[in-house]
Amino acid sequence: MTDSESPREIASIVWTVISGSVKIIAGLLGTYVNARWSVRRSKKTFQKSLAKHGIPADYAEELASTYASAGQNILSIRKMVGMIGQIRELE
């Protein structure tokens, strides 16, 4: 802290950082949950469409699971952490 910064100014800066961080985290969490729901809805819609067009139910379920697995893999937090670790190893 320098002489020109008052405790009130520092508190204002800290509050701005904390409130901004909370907003970013909440936004990311909302986006993540929405994406997970979208993958789930897409899987169900695809499965119903396959069954409607005459594909046997068990085969339609298997195809829909394969279709949704790409989205689920992208949204897997565990896999995201693994990718971050791989990127750090490249540096």
Side-chain angles (χ1 to χ4, degrees):
M1 180 165 83
T2 62
D3 294 334
S4 63
E5 296 173 336
S6 71
R8 184 176 292 269
E9 290 172 334
I10 293 172
S12 174
I13 292 169
V14 170
W15 175 252
T16 302
V17 169
I18 290 172
S19 64
S21 300
V22 168
K23 288 178 185 177
I24 289 171
I25 290 170
L28 287 173
L29 181 62
T31 301
Y32 176 77
V33 169
N34 188 26
R36 297 283 295 195
W37 285 344
S38 292
V39 169
R40 190 175 301 140
R41 276 192 313 267
S42 297
K43 177 183 175 183
K44 288 180 182 179
T45 303
F46 186 56
Q47 184 176 353
K48 287 178 182 179
S49 178
L50 289 172
K52 178 182 173 183
H53 288 88
I55 303 293
D58 57 339
Y59 192 60
E61 184 178 347
E62 183 180 334
L63 284 173
S65 293
T66 303
Y67 167 75
S69 67
Q72 291 168 343
N73 285 338
I74 289 173
L75 295 172
S76 169
I77 292 174
R78 190 175 299 142
K79 291 191 181 196
M80 283 185 205
V81 170
M83 285 189 282
I84 291 170
Q86 290 175 349
I87 291 170
R88 286 184 180 166
E89 289 175 2
L90 295 174
E91 293 178 351

